[in-house]
Amino acid sequence: MDKKLSEFVLSNDHSQVAEDLHRHFNFTLGRFNTDDLSGYMMTALALTVRDRLMERWRVTKAHEDGAKIRKVYYLSLEYLLGRSLGNAILNLNMQDSVRQALSEFSANLEDIEMEEKDAGLGNGGLGRLAACFMDSCATLGLPVIGYGIRYEYGMFQQKFLEGKQIEQPDHWLIAGNPWEIERNRHTRRVKFYGYSEYYTNDAGKLCARWTNTQDVLAVPYDMPIPGYKNDKVNTLRLWKAAATEEFNLQEFNEGDYADAVAQKNLAEQITMVLYPNDASENGKELRLRQQYFLASASLQDVLDDWVLEQGDGFSQFAEYNCFQLNDTHPTLAVAELMRLLMDERGLGWDEAWSITTKTMAYTNHTLLPEALERWSVRLLKELLPRLLDIIYEINARFLAVVAHRWPGDVSRQQRMSIIEEGTDPQVRMAYLAIVGSYSVNGVAELHSKLLTTGLFRDFYELWPEKFNNKTNGVTPRRWLAHCNRGLGDLVTEAIGPGWKTNLQELEKLRPLAEDSTFRQRWADVKRMNKERLRERVIQKCNVKFELDSIFDVQVKRIHEYKRQLLNILHVIHLYDRITRGDTEGIVPRSVLLGGKAAPGYTIAKLLIKFANNVSTVINSDKTVNPWLKLAFLPNYRVKSMEIICPGTDLSEQISTAGKEASGTGNMKFMMNGALTIGTYDGANIEILDAVGDDHFFLFGLRVEDIAEYGLHNQPNMIIEQDEDLKRVLRLIECGHFSLFEPGIFEPILQTIRNPHDPWMVAADFRSYIDAQERAAQAYSDEDSWFRSSILNTAASGYFSSDRTIADYAREIWKL
Ligand code: 26Q
C-alpha cells in the first residue's frame, strides 16, 4: 500500500543531494567547471529534485492504476504554474538539505531559484486557479489528473516603449524544461475537417462515422505535481501537436518535400501559442482547433485507458470518471464524448447521453455577457462536421424538453436554444456546457447567485439542482509559506506548522493581534518584505518608494471593469492636492500598478500609457515626491506576485460591482496581511464577512444600486458637483499628462463622461476617495494597522484552495 519514506531509494540527506547535484551537473549536463554555474546549476538541482519526485510519482500511479477508483479529470486550456523548483523543494521537505548541499558549490538557493523561467501557460485568474487546484488535489491526495496544452509560447512578455505596451514572444522552453517527461507511447490522434458518413453495421444498426479527415497527433508531456509532505505526486498532462507520419510519407513520395514540411508546420501550429485574451476573442479558427484538440486527446486518453483496464463495457464509466470543465473553453468535450461513445464504441444515443451528463461538470468564471463564448456554425461545419451534427441533435432533444416543460413558450425556446439563429448562426458554448453537465458552478457566492438570477436564469428554473457555488481559493504553500518565509516562520513559531495544510488554524493568531511585541515582530517582517519589493521596483521601474509610505498595490489584467482608471484618478487627485499645498492629513503613499493588456484591447493599452505618463509627471516633481510615487511594473506574472503580495499594505480590489466573478489576488494579499480597499463584488464580500468591516475599506455602489441607478447615470452632473473630480479631469483635459501628445487620452475621458459608462467610474469616485482617506488615516496609527493586518491573515483560512477542492471533491466529484 502506501510506501513509506524510508522505502524510497534516494535519500534527502544533504550529502546524497550534493552527490546527485554533482552527477547531474557533470554527466547529465556535461559541465565540468563549477566556477560557472549559471543556468546549469538550476537544471542540475531541478533534476536532482525530479529524481525524488519520480519515485513518489511511480508509487502514486501504481496505487491508482491497480485499484478501481473514481478519478477526476480537470480540463483547462490554461495552467499558470509559474516556477516549480522552490515549490517542489518545499513540498518534498528538502529545504535544509538542498541549502546545505548547495553550500558545497558556494551557491545560494534563492539565487538559483531566480534562474528558473515562469511557466506562463495562462492569462490570469482562471489559469492560476487551475495551478492552485493541482497543488491542493495532490496535497489532499485526490486522484485528479490535469489535462492541458503544452504551448510552445506562453503569455507574451510585456515591455514599455515610451510608456506603451510592446508584446514580445515568451519562448519559455528555449533552455529546455527539466520538469516534463514526454510519453510518446500515449500519443493520440485528433481528427479535423472531412465529413460525416452514415452506414448500417453488421447488426443492421444505423451508425455514423467521421471520414476523410486530416489528422493531427497529440503527444503527451507529463509534469509532476507534488503534494505537500505526503509523498503523493499527481500528473498534469500537456498535449503537443505533431504531424502524422503517413501524412508526411505520402507528400514526400509525391515529391514535394517543401510542401510536406510546410504541412507539418500547419499541424504543429495548434499548440504553438497561448491566446492572450482573458475575455473571449471570437471566431479565431486556431483557437477552436486548440479547444477541440485538448478535448479530443484527453477524452481518448481516458477512454482508451478505461477499455484497457475495464474492458469495453461502459455501464460503470460514469461511476468512475468525472470531467471538470474550466470555463467553456473545453466544452466541445460534451459533443466529443458523445461521438467517441457512439461512433467508436458502438453505444446508442440514450446510453451515451446518460453517461455524458453524469460525468461532465462545468465551472463558469465570468458574468460579462460579451465574454461568453460563441462559435459560428459555419466554422464548426467545416472544421468539426461530425461534432456539429451531434450538437444539433443535443439541441433538438433539449428543446423538446423545454417545450414539454413550458408548452407554447416559443420565446423561451429561442432564448434557451444552444444555437443562436441569425444570418450567421452561432453555438452558445455555455448553454452546451449546462445542458451536457450535471453540475454548474460559479466561483464566489455573489457570482453564483447572479448566474441563477441573471445569465442562466432560464436554465436554473429548469434544473435548479445542477447549480452550486464553489468559492475560489489559493494554495497557502506558494502564497504564504514559499513567497513569504518571514511571515510563514513567524506564524509557525506562534501557532505551529499545522496551518500549511489546515489554513483555518490561522484563527489562532487572533489573540496575538492584541500582543504588542507580536505586532512589532509582524511589522518587522512586513518592513523586510517592503524592502525587497522596493528594490524590485527600483530595478524594474527606476522609481524609489519610501519605506515608511503606504504600499498601495493593484496588480491584475488591465480591464475597464477592474477600474485601474479609478485608481489613477485617485493618484491624480492626491497629486493635485499636494501641488496646491493642501497636504493636511495626506499620508505618504507609494502606488504600484502592474498587469498586461490584451494586444487587441485598445482602451486597455491606452490605460497603460496613461498610467506611465502620470507616473513620469508625478515622480519627477520634487515637491510631490515626499508624499506620492507611482510606478507601473512591467511584465507582471506569477513570480512578480510572489514578491509583491508580501510587501503590500493596501490591496486594491475595486471592480464595478457584479463584474468580477471572484478574484483570487484579493485572497493572496489578505493572507499576507494586507488590508483591502474594495467594492462589494466577487469574493471581496466573503473576505469582508470573514475579517469584519473594521479591517476592510468598503466603498462603491452595489449590484442592486447599479441596476437601478445605472439607468439614469449622469457622469457630467456628478463631475459638475464634485470639485475634486472636476479638477482631476481638467488636469487630464488640459494635457498635463500628455504635453507632447495632445489629446491622446481623449478616449479615456469619453468613457468617464459617457452616461452609458457601464463601469460607473464617475459614480464611484467620491466614495472611493473617501475610502482611501479612511485607509490613510488607519495607516497612520501603526498599532491599530498591524492589529488589522494580523486579523486579516487570521481570517484568511477560508480562502485556501484546499478548502475549495475539498468542497469540489465532496459535492461535485463525489470522491
Ligand atoms: C476565450 C476564447 C478565446 C480566447 C480567449 C478566451 C479566454 C481566455 C481566458 C477567456 C477568458 C479567460 C480567462 C478568464 C479569467 O481569468 N477569469 C477570472 O477567473 C478567476 C478564477 O475563477 C476569477 O477569480 C476572476 O474573477 C475571473 O475574471
Side-chain angles (χ1 to χ4, degrees), residues 78 123-127 129 275 277-281 287 291 329 365 373 443 472 561-562 660-664:
E78 305 194 2
N123 274 284
L126 166 149
L129 185 76
Y275 273 89
N277 311 287
D278 67 338
S280 68
E281 155 159 338
R287 169 73 182 185
Q291 296 186 347
H329 315 154
H365 297 266
E373 274 195 291
V443 290
N472 284 167
Y561 84 80
K562 293 177 188 283
E660 189 70 273
S662 161
T664 44

Side-chain angles (χ1 to χ4, degrees), residues 198-207:
Y198 296 88
Y199 66 100
T200 317
N201 71 3
D202 298 342
K205 190 174 146 204
L206 183 67
C207 298

Side-chain angles (χ1 to χ4, degrees), residues 280 282 288 291 325 327-335 353 362 364 369-378 380 387-388 391-392 394-395 398-399 402 410-437 455-456 458-459 463:
S280 68
N282 278 323
L288 184 62
Q291 296 186 347
L325 308 174
D327 214 294
T328 51
H329 315 154
T331 291
L332 286 169
V334 169
W353 186 243
Y362 157 54
N364 173 284
E370 65 269 30
L372 289 183
E373 274 195 291
R374 285 158 221 275
W375 287 107
S376 109
V377 166
R378 176 189 41 77
L380 283 167
L387 269 87
L388 183 63
I391 292 170
Y392 266 110
I394 292 172
N395 193 39
F398 165 63
L399 289 180
V402 176
V410 178
S411 83
R412 192 187 285 260
Q413 284 180 48
Q414 269 168 2
R415 275 203 318 265
M416 296 180 78
S417 175
I418 295 171
I419 310 290
E420 179 181 296
E421 297 297 347
T423 49
D424 182 19
Q426 307 278 319
V427 176
R428 297 161 162 156
M429 300 308 280
Y431 292 5
L432 178 59
I434 297 171
V435 173
S437 300
L455 219 46
F456 300 150
D458 291 324
F459 291 88
W463 296 311

Side-chain angles (χ1 to χ4, degrees), residues 168-184:
Q168 287 183 347
D170 163 50
H171 203 179
W172 71 292
L173 290 167
I174 189 129
N177 175 6
W179 303 109
E180 66 183 15
I181 308 282
E182 184 184 331
R183 303 245 184 243
N184 249 311

Side-chain angles (χ1 to χ4, degrees), residues 87-144:
N87 185 247
I89 291 173
L90 173 73
N91 286 11
L92 291 184
N93 199 15
M94 290 179 69
Q95 283 180 319
D96 295 339
S97 57
V98 165
R99 272 174 212 283
Q100 265 195 58
L102 284 175
S103 66
E104 289 183 22
F105 297 80
S106 321
N108 154 298
L109 180 55
E110 279 69 30
D111 293 343
I112 289 194
E113 280 179 19
M114 300 289 280
E115 306 259 351
E116 186 180 1
K117 285 197 156 57
D118 264 41
L121 309 184
N123 274 284
L126 166 149
R128 183 53 231 177
L129 185 76
C132 284
F133 279 7
M134 287 295 114
D135 180 271
S136 286
C137 288
T139 296
L140 294 174
L142 300 174
V144 177

Side-chain angles (χ1 to χ4, degrees), residues 743-804:
I744 54 163
F745 300 129
E746 200 48 44
I748 292 176
L749 291 161
Q750 274 170 25
T751 68
I752 303 174
R753 291 186 179 279
N754 182 354
H756 304 292
D757 171 25
W759 321 118
M760 300 282 165
V761 172
D764 272 348
F765 177 81
R766 178 46 48 194
S767 155
Y768 180 56
I769 299 297
D770 292 347
Q772 285 287 20
E773 235 156 74
R774 278 183 273 134
Q777 289 323 306
Y779 187 76
S780 53
D781 180 351
E782 234 183 67
D783 259 4
S784 107
W785 181 272
F786 285 109
R787 190 170 164 270
S788 291
S789 169
I790 295 166
L791 290 175
N792 264 275
T793 301
S796 68
Y798 182 72
F799 303 102
S800 165
S801 47
D802 297 346
R803 187 271 312 152
T804 311

